Amino acid sequence: GQSLEQPSEVTAVEGAIVQINCTYQTSGFYGLSWYQQHDGGAPTFLSYNALDGLEETGRFSSFLSRSDSYGYLLLQELQMKDSASYFCAVRDDKIIFGKGTRLHILP
Amino acid sequence: DADVTQTPRNRITKTGKRIMLECSQTKGHDRMYWYRQDPGLGLRLIYYSFDVKDINKGEISDGYSVSRQAQAKFSLSLESAIPNQTALYFCATSDAGQGAGETQYFGPGTRLLVL
């Protein structure tokens, strides 16, 4: 079957760095995406990795290792507004989403 | 104006009723998707369409049907609603082809309560 595993919750302190991991098992793979969803809002796209390595976009970075079927989202200089749920998603012939990681940020 | 719109935003219905959720987009994308979101279960794909004449079942299509009336419109129907279909429903669009990166753009969601 196809599955994506990510922690259900992560807690970090404002100003710190946090890493959200995602492991996947899918029949096909074109790339790994990350989405952010604030309470009451819609998911919004953050990043996409098709090849191994690190992609950086401002305070957010995303990493992929295809040989390990593993990726992570790295959030630096955490701000209170980063409190949200974060979903990894694998591109097969369609998009498959993980169950999401709720990020709690302490002041 | 929003690129992806959903109507209604909130809906309360009774068991056994037929209801339709509508999605419209102005992004000019060929691909459209319907997801449902339940607490702790993430986003689960119900149906998707890669163009007007293409309809595909997703992970949880039982109890649902869809219609792709035009490139810009994709409707989700619950033929006979049941309480466990109470959820938050999202429509999404994307424009990428096979092998390429694909960004999905989500509508604001429809919150459905089936009594």
Side-chain angles (χ1 to χ4, degrees), chain A residues 30 35 37 42 48 91 93-94, chain B residues 37 97-98 100-102 104 107:
Chain A
Y30 290 112
Y35 287 78
Q37 184 181 27
Y48 174 78
R91 171 82 202 286
D93 59 337
K94 55 188 178 295
Chain B
Q37 186 172 37
Q98 290 278 355
E102 179 167 348
Q104 296 214 321

Side-chain angles (χ1 to χ4, degrees), chain B residues 3-75:
Chain B
D3 294 321
V4 184
T5 58
Q6 293 182 232
T7 57
R9 294 293 312 278
N10 295 279
R11 179 75 183 269
I12 300 174
T13 191
K14 295 182 179 179
T15 296
K17 294 291 187 181
R18 182 181 188 277
I19 67 165
M20 179 182 289
L21 309 183
E22 300 188 355
C23 177
S24 295
Q25 53 114 346
T26 58
K27 299 188 74 66
H29 291 168
D30 287 327
R31 298 184 168 201
M32 298 188 74
Y33 304 78
W34 275 105
Y35 293 91
R36 77 176 267 177
Q37 186 172 37
D38 300 274
L41 294 179
L43 291 155
R44 292 184 292 167
L45 183 63
I46 306 172
Y47 271 96
Y48 61 105
S49 170
F50 286 172
D51 65 44
V52 174
K53 297 182 179 180
D54 177 74
I55 300 290
N56 303 282
K57 292 184 177 180
E59 179 186 356
I60 53 164
S61 58
D62 288 348
Y64 302 94
S65 63
V66 291
S67 174
R68 184 80 184 266
Q69 302 94 322
Q71 185 201 39
K73 296 184 181 295
F74 192 36
S75 300

Side-chain angles (χ1 to χ4, degrees), chain A residues 50-72:
Chain A
L51 302 176
D52 288 356
L54 191 68
E55 295 281 343
E56 298 181 64
T57 308
R59 294 187 297 113
F60 294 2
S61 302
S62 57
F63 172 82
L64 175 64
S65 169
R66 296 179 66 139
S67 61
D68 295 323
S69 298
Y70 164 76
Y72 65 73

